[in-house]
Amino acid sequence: MEENTLRVLEFYKVRESLAEHASSGPGHEEAMKLVPSADPKAVLRGLRETNELKSYLERRNDFPISGLRDISGHLKKAAVEGAVLRPDDLLEVMSVARASRLVKSALGKARQEFALLSERSVGLGMYEILEHEIGKAISEEGEVLDTASFELKRIRRMLQQMRHRINKELEGIINNPSYSKAVQEPVITVRGDRYVIPLKPNFKAYISGIVHDQSASGSTVFVEPQSTVELNNKLAQLRVDEKREVERVLYQLTASVRGSVEGLTQSYHALVGLDVLYAKAGYALSIDANMPALVEGGVIDLKQARHPLLIKIKGMQATVPLDVKIGRDFRVLVITGPNTGGKTVTLKTVGLLALMAQAGMLIPAAPDSAISVFSGVFSDIGDEQSVEQNLSTFSSHISRIVGVLKVADRGSLVLLDELGAGTDPVEGSALGVAILEDLHKRGTRVVVTTHHGALKVFAANTPGAMNASVEFDAGSLQPTYRLLVGAPGRSNALVVAKRLGMPQSVIDSAEHTRGTDAAELDRLIEKLEREAAAAREDRRKAAQETELAKAEKNRLAELVKRAEEDRREAVLKAQEKATGIITSLRSKLRELEEMAKRTAKAPETAPERAEVRKRAEEVRTLEAQLKTAEVRHSEHKKTDIAALSAGQVVRVYKYNKMGTILAIKKEKGQVIVQIDALKVTLGPDELEPVAGKQSARQEPKKAYQAGVTFSRESGEDEYESEGPGIELNIIGLRAEVAAERVEKFIDQCLLSGIGSVRIIHGRGTGALRRTVTEIVKANRAVTNFHQADFQEGGDAVMIVEFR
């Protein structure tokens, strides 16, 4: 992209705003080098990476790239054998190593969601040992710690002990009454790295020692007593040892860095690239930018687009959005309208957003906007003169346009502001039309602003060209900044002049001077503007009516939903009532059967036995009707298995009972539900959640000795228990207790629609087998019963089959 275009479209200013969002100096510096690319693949990847990091920041609100420092110089120095890095240099290397580790870890965890960002982590290394070594040896303030080496810790401990001995010796002299006449001031100080005390000039009469300094007045001399000379010598030697050991530690740490220079260099550059991406994402969030669709064919389709610098100055709400498109139905867009009406802002917004997208930046426009990658973006905007070349404003414009015509082609976007201005209107118009014709023949995408009527006529009469205007409120004399595609605009010079108090005679004279054709053109444009305004009002009313229709539709849908819920609740209540009746009839039936057994041999009881059979048949008929109603009801309710969770209370259609979900097998499409004493495996379409009810998961309560588990697989009526089938174990029970358990067990199985069960009665005296046999013979729902096969228990187990 040419430098003039980047400057006049203010790409550099946008780049500065973007760079402010970098987290580091290197990132800021690299962001300031950002330029648009003409490579569609690079542009697409850049946009996707920026969009991914924007989404990452929106969801996680943090990206661990802080701590990035410019370590390129440190790494070059460390690569030289024998070089030693200073503590502060090593701390900066450690901060980059830490950032590399944290960012690599963060991107690794987001691999599934942010694939392109994760690819960036390939260039990041892990240097945990180096981090540990430097962190152990150097404090955050840049001091080499005692923990850097055992030898350094020993030397510093000896230094501390030696200082203590010297201080103790000197304090003894200061506090000794024999030396009081020689002591000028009872303090210990340091001169030339030697511990000394301030004495009077006549100290030699009392203390022998070495003078290291004296005060300006000469009244105080700083003396190292002879008794501490050897101690100070040892202290000095320990300091030398300390310095030597510190240098050795730094040399070793530098050697560790040297061993990782190549990887650290790669990680550093990868982090700088990520920081530029971080700046792009942060800037996108600040201006509410989105990723446009990248399309071919030289298309610009911007919706709700805003100029990013206006957002910075005026704020998002005060910046009027615009819709503009070019490249599909037409290649040349001619924008007309009054001065200060927003034509140049529109032109710059189109060009700047195209440059931003090609630099991998998201644009402040609606997410359904689309844009193409242009091989070049060229512009002639502004009215400055070229002082260096001694060119007038017009000559300067023409020079730039000549440069554009040398290189513009089908893949170019050309932006021309006030084409044909700055010279004779007739010649300027003719030249402007000729330039547009030339660019149009090349297939170049062109957006141009002008006041010349000839260019408006060209756009109206040329296929592939289109007029547009920036709306102007003649009443308030203020632009609305809305772009109206399809109609040319008026300059409104006479309207503005009249509103501002220009005499009517002058206005009339101007109208006469400009000619009938111009006046007719203005009247035509005014008519088109009125029609466009009426069309916009119709669209607004239509949109309003559409919203009202949507609201009414939603209201009716809610009423239907409530009616369906009421209907379903009524059905459930009816089913509950029917179930209660059946339960009551079953109880009465058992009583009648017991009475029939006791009077089975008496001829006079025949009517009673007939009554028993009649009641039993009624019960079975009602039961069949209830099951049919349940099936019909279940067909109306489809429950999504993803909406279910363990512990949730549900209503099971088949049994018309409430239960609690114990577990969900999504891969098999199964839900395990606890209903009273039963644990049933069902499909999600066989139950529905009960609104407002949630139950903690509980273990099923056992209603009898062997709990029963119902399980249906693959939609077949096949049931299994946790053991080898649905069964009841009555071994060891008294006959009357066993009979009661067997009857309840059969009732539950019949209600559940189970085809067959096993009743384990054992061998023993045969009493329990006879009891079971009598019960199943008397139950008309039993179609067959027989002893189990030898391998399944033989004559100790009875297999019972139901209708």
Side-chain angles (χ1 to χ4, degrees), residues 588-755:
K588 184 65 176 176
L589 179 61
R590 279 195 294 271
E591 293 178 5
L592 292 171
E593 287 176 340
E594 289 293 331
M595 182 179 68
K597 289 176 184 178
R598 291 193 296 271
T599 59
K601 296 180 180 180
E604 63 274 12
T605 60
E608 286 82 351
R609 290 198 297 275
E611 181 67 18
V612 169
R613 286 193 294 272
K614 180 181 177 182
R615 294 300 184 191
E617 192 60 37
E618 289 176 358
V619 170
R620 293 187 184 94
T621 300
L622 285 172
E623 183 179 0
Q625 292 173 351
L626 178 60
K627 288 182 179 179
T628 301
E630 287 172 347
V631 171
R632 284 200 305 269
H633 176 68
S634 64
E635 291 173 352
H636 292 289
K637 183 67 176 178
K638 302 295 182 183
T639 302
D640 184 0
I641 195 168
L644 302 175
S645 59
Q648 194 172 11
V649 176
V650 294
R651 186 190 306 277
V652 179
Y653 298 132
K654 187 174 185 62
Y655 311 136
N656 191 30
K657 284 182 174 289
M658 307 278 272
T660 302
I661 295 178
L662 299 180
I664 298 174
K665 299 179 180 178
K666 291 185 178 180
E667 65 280 1
K668 294 185 177 181
Q670 296 176 337
V671 183
I672 300 176
V673 181
Q674 179 73 43
I675 306 175
D676 297 330
L678 306 179
K679 188 167 67 174
V680 189
T681 300
L682 304 165
D685 57 338
E686 297 181 86
L687 49 82
E688 68 170 346
V690 178
K693 291 190 178 183
Q694 190 75 9
S695 173
R697 178 172 174 173
Q698 297 178 348
E699 292 298 323
K701 297 179 180 178
K702 295 185 178 180
Y704 35 80
Q705 187 170 341
V708 181
T709 300
F710 298 157
S711 170
R712 176 157 33 211
E713 299 287 346
S714 306
E716 300 174 4
D717 289 331
E718 178 182 343
Y719 295 83
E720 298 176 350
S721 71
E722 293 174 330
I726 297 177
E727 61 186 31
L728 174 65
N729 190 335
I730 59 172
I731 295 175
L733 299 181
R734 297 194 308 275
E736 59 272 18
V737 175
E740 183 180 355
R741 294 252 179 117
V742 170
E743 289 175 352
K744 287 183 179 180
F745 177 65
I746 291 175
D747 287 345
Q748 286 179 313
C749 293
L750 290 172
L751 285 173
S752 301
I754 296 171

Side-chain angles (χ1 to χ4, degrees), residues 55 59 70 127 167 216 288 320 336 366 371 437-438 447 451 465 539 543 565 620 626 654 669-670 683 698 726 734 766:
S55 299
R59 299 180 191 184
D70 185 356
Y127 310 96
N167 280 325
D288 194 22
V320 180
T336 52
I371 204 162
E437 285 179 339
D438 183 79
V447 182
H451 285 286
R539 286 196 299 270
E565 291 175 352
R620 293 187 184 94
L626 178 60
K654 187 174 185 62
Q670 296 176 337
Q698 297 178 348
I726 297 177
R734 297 194 308 275

Side-chain angles (χ1 to χ4, degrees), residues 52-53 55-57 59-60 62-64 102-121:
E52 278 196 5
L53 188 50
S55 299
Y56 183 98
L57 294 176
R59 299 180 191 184
R60 290 166 171 78
D62 182 43
F63 189 60
L102 293 176
V103 172
K104 188 178 184 70
S105 175
L107 294 182
K109 293 176 182 176
R111 185 177 298 108
Q112 298 296 328
E113 206 171 357
F114 305 101
L116 290 178
L117 285 179
S118 295
E119 289 180 19
R120 288 259 190 168
S121 67

Side-chain angles (χ1 to χ4, degrees), residues 133-171:
E133 287 179 351
I134 297 176
K136 177 184 175 184
I138 301 175
S139 70
E140 293 181 358
E141 293 74 25
E143 297 178 354
V144 179
L145 298 168
D146 295 353
T147 53
S149 74
F150 176 80
E151 179 63 13
L152 184 60
K153 186 175 184 180
R154 184 190 68 80
I155 292 171
R156 286 182 173 172
R157 185 168 61 247
M158 292 180 66
L159 275 169
Q160 186 177 6
Q161 292 172 353
M162 191 57 63
R163 290 190 189 99
H164 178 72
R165 286 181 61 186
I166 294 171
N167 280 325
K168 187 175 181 181
E169 180 67 26
L170 293 178
E171 285 173 357

Side-chain angles (χ1 to χ4, degrees), residues 538-554:
D538 289 342
R539 286 196 299 270
R540 186 191 65 79
K541 290 180 179 179
Q544 189 176 23
E545 290 173 358
T546 299
E547 288 299 319
L548 291 174
K550 286 182 180 178
E552 181 64 14
K553 179 182 177 182
N554 292 337

Side-chain angles (χ1 to χ4, degrees), residues 164-195:
H164 178 72
R165 286 181 61 186
I166 294 171
N167 280 325
K168 187 175 181 181
E169 180 67 26
L170 293 178
E171 285 173 357
I173 294 173
I174 290 172
N175 297 325
N176 192 332
S178 301
Y179 304 138
S180 61
K181 292 182 179 182
V183 176
Q184 182 72 278
E185 190 176 357
V187 295
I188 300 172
T189 186
V190 177
R191 289 293 186 275
D193 288 336
R194 313 283 288 191
Y195 283 89

